[in-house]
Amino acid sequence: MQEEPNYLAHAFKSQYNVIGLATAVGFALLSASALPLLIAAGVQLVALPLVAGSERFQRLIRARLSEERHEETRSRRRLEASEMLQALSSAEFQRYRELEGQAGEIRGNYKGLDSTSRMLLDELIQKLDFLLAFYLRMRHSVVRYEAYFATTDAERIEERIAMLKHEIAGAGASERVRQIKARTQAVLEKRLERYHKALENKQLVDAQTETVQEVLQLLRDQSYSIRDPRSITEQLDGLISSAEETERGVRDLDSILSADDDLLSAGSLTAEVEAELESLQVPPPRPQPARSAPPSRVAPPPLPPPPPPRKKLTH
């Protein structure tokens, strides 16, 4: 619920009261007397509560605030629509402009009707604007889905799951390692499940937005025959109900990928992995004592020279 406005503050800030206060200040400056200010203060004490309590004044303030909120909402939606249009591809942008043109033709063809039929024109315009905004939101979500699919490889996730199952069933790993691998497998299975959910949502959005295109094309053709606008509004009612149901069923990509499960708690999983790696870390080899160099071989002493030959005695 909207908070009740402060009518007394609005009465004080009204242009008539501001003009009166400025006049009193001017007279006070010209006469060099505080009497005009005292008179203005007395008038304020009497007149402002009466004005603020007036039902007509309160309706005026509520209408003005409501219009300001609506204008703020429209400005925000225009800004959001501009950002969404910038994110679309050239083909998607062109397709949206074509839908805008068809909606404009429908509105233009029914502007020449009599006053009785023209009463439905405002309702028809609101419904067309809703469908255009719905189409833009859905096609913008498709752009985000496609960016997600481009960075997610479902086949690789499936291969990794199969590999983990084989590693868990095999022998040679400790029980703690198996537990960590099982948690990793559960995370990958959750990722795969969300991938398929996103793919289903994209297919649903594609089908619904295609229906919007075809129905608007049909309504544009019917508007040239100047049929009863009630038939068009009835067809739009059915399409709007289907669109609202689709938008409720299709969750945003952020909600699909949100890690709201304890299984996806990256902190606990990382802590366990680090602890296991520390326990499995191979200790560094112990330093070996330096071996002493083998003693060098000492050369043997030189042999003594042979004795000189003995001379033979002659007789």
Side-chain angles (χ1 to χ4, degrees), residues 113-218:
L113 299 178
D114 54 30
S115 58
T116 304
S117 299
R118 282 175 60 87
M119 295 176 60
L120 299 174
L121 183 60
D122 292 338
E123 182 181 359
L124 176 63
I125 291 175
Q126 292 178 1
K127 293 178 180 180
L128 289 174
D129 290 341
F130 171 82
L131 287 177
L132 288 175
F134 165 78
Y135 181 89
L136 181 58
R137 289 195 302 271
M138 292 296 98
R139 298 316 300 176
H140 180 259
S141 67
V142 168
V143 173
R144 300 185 62 210
Y145 280 123
E146 290 176 347
Y148 164 67
F149 295 141
T151 57
T152 305
D153 191 348
E155 294 183 358
R156 185 175 180 181
I157 294 176
E158 292 175 349
E159 292 175 358
R160 181 57 181 156
I161 291 174
M163 186 183 302
L164 285 172
K165 289 181 179 179
H166 177 73
E167 293 174 356
I168 293 172
S174 66
E175 182 62 25
R176 187 165 179 78
V177 171
R178 288 195 181 96
Q179 292 177 1
I180 294 177
K181 290 182 181 295
R183 288 179 63 86
T184 305
Q185 176 188 339
V187 171
L188 292 174
E189 289 174 349
K190 180 65 68 175
R191 286 187 60 196
L192 189 62
E193 176 186 348
R194 294 183 177 185
Y195 177 90
H196 290 304
K197 178 60 179 176
L199 184 61
E200 178 185 353
N201 283 355
K202 180 183 178 299
Q203 294 171 350
L204 183 59
V205 168
D206 286 336
Q208 185 64 62
T209 51
E210 184 179 0
T211 301
V212 171
Q213 294 180 50
E214 297 299 332
V215 170
L216 285 181
Q217 179 68 35
L218 175 62

Side-chain angles (χ1 to χ4, degrees), residues 23-77:
T23 303
V25 171
F27 277 114
L29 292 175
L30 291 175
S31 62
S33 172
L35 182 60
L37 295 179
L38 294 176
I39 295 175
V43 173
Q44 294 279 310
L45 292 176
V46 176
L48 289 183
L50 293 177
V51 173
S54 171
E55 182 64 27
R56 182 178 179 182
F57 178 77
Q58 292 180 2
R59 288 198 302 268
L60 177 63
I61 295 300
R62 286 195 295 266
R64 185 181 302 168
L65 293 178
S66 177
E67 180 63 26
E68 290 177 357
R69 285 193 295 267
H70 289 329
E71 182 61 30
E72 182 181 354
T73 301
R74 287 192 291 267
S75 299
R76 185 177 65 253
R77 288 178 177 175

